Amino acid sequence: FYGVHIDIFRPPPVPAPPDQPARVLFIGRMSADKQIDALLAALALVRKSCPDSPFVLLGGGPEEDKVRSWLQTHGPGEHIGRV
């Protein structure tokens, strides 16, 4: 199992301030084994329900070009290369 086990680690929901949209942050290697396609599919769902939510994706890897292309098409968002 990779990632966070949500049955064990489930923080209480924290609402975004009413005047600001929620931000989405990803930090990690952009590779197929990290399921970047699933991340982009989830971001598309977020974009539908919260169109102004910005995405910040930190990292690099073999899927980096796919992420950059997705952000250009579905923005607003930014990719901040390797950290």
Side-chain angles (χ1 to χ4, degrees):
F1 179 80
Y2 296 97
V4 176
H5 196 292
I6 61 172
D7 292 333
I8 298 172
F9 301 102
R10 186 178 297 260
V14 178
D19 59 338
Q20 297 179 14
R23 294 178 184 257
V24 178
L25 171 66
F26 168 84
I27 302 172
R29 181 164 168 73
M30 296 179 185
S31 60
D33 62 313
K34 298 292 185 179
Q35 300 184 6
I36 293 299
D37 288 335
L39 170 68
L40 297 180
L43 292 178
L45 292 174
V46 171
R47 178 63 67 224
K48 285 182 182 178
S49 62
C50 303
D52 295 329
S53 290
F55 303 145
V56 178
L57 309 177
L58 302 171
E63 302 285 302
E64 186 174 343
D65 289 340
K66 179 188 291 188
V67 171
R68 286 180 184 274
S69 175
W70 191 93
L71 285 172
Q72 288 176 350
T73 304
H74 296 89
E78 62 183 290
H79 169 258
I80 303 171
R82 292 170 177 82
V83 292

